[in-house]
Amino acid sequence: MTSGPGDAIQPQRSREGTLVHVVETLLDKGLVLNADIMVSVAGVELLGIRIRAALASFETAAKYGLEFPAGTDTDTVAWREAIETKESCPECGKHSPVDQLLEQSCPWCGWQSAQALAGKYQPAEVTDSDD
């Protein structure tokens, strides 16, 4: 089938552009807004406003060293899990603790690193005994 000059490309809808995907990306990567607003009349500054706002998950904010509001309880189990170093799985892309990905497997898809595979098949240590 050939296409002529009157044929148009039909739009396609990707499921990656959903609101859930946008919110997930914002929380995962974070969004920082910096704005300096100055109101001046005849060269005289009358008002100056500095706005610094961040939208991110606690995990992302902790990773980049953002400060948290006073009274944030950082001694909870959830907080320790949030600041634990994580990496995305090369197979499924979901985040898991680095130690688990390297030494065991991805809890989501079961992918195993070369280090984990090598660890399974290392020969047992032979010890000399004087029996």
Side-chain angles (χ1 to χ4, degrees):
M1 181 174 168
T2 60
S3 58
D7 293 341
I9 297 174
Q10 296 297 318
Q12 295 179 350
R13 186 172 198 179
S14 171
R15 299 305 302 164
E16 292 188 27
T18 63
L19 180 60
V20 173
H21 180 69
V22 171
V23 170
E24 184 178 287
T25 302
L26 277 177
L27 292 177
D28 183 42
K29 302 296 181 191
L31 173 70
V32 177
L33 300 173
N34 291 324
D36 293 328
I37 303 169
M38 296 186 323
V39 177
S40 56
V41 176
V44 177
E45 185 177 322
L46 300 175
L47 178 66
I49 300 173
R50 282 195 159 164
I51 299 172
R52 304 285 182 254
L55 173 66
S57 66
F58 276 107
E59 179 180 349
T60 303
K63 183 167 112 179
Y64 290 106
L66 296 176
E67 292 184 25
F68 294 97
T72 302
D73 185 7
T74 59
D75 294 329
T76 63
V77 173
W79 181 260
R80 285 191 297 272
E81 287 178 4
I83 60 173
E84 182 179 30
T85 306
K86 295 184 180 178
E87 189 62 51
S88 59
C89 171
E91 185 73 23
C92 67
K94 296 194 183 227
H95 292 271
S96 301
V98 171
D99 293 340
Q100 184 176 13
L101 276 177
L102 292 177
E103 297 171 8
Q104 299 169 10
S105 65
C106 174
W108 304 100
C109 68
W111 173 86
Q112 292 183 312
S113 70
Q115 179 178 339
L117 291 171
K120 281 186 172 182
Y121 301 109
Q122 285 182 350
E125 290 184 25
V126 177
T127 58
D128 292 334
S129 61
D130 294 330
D131 293 328

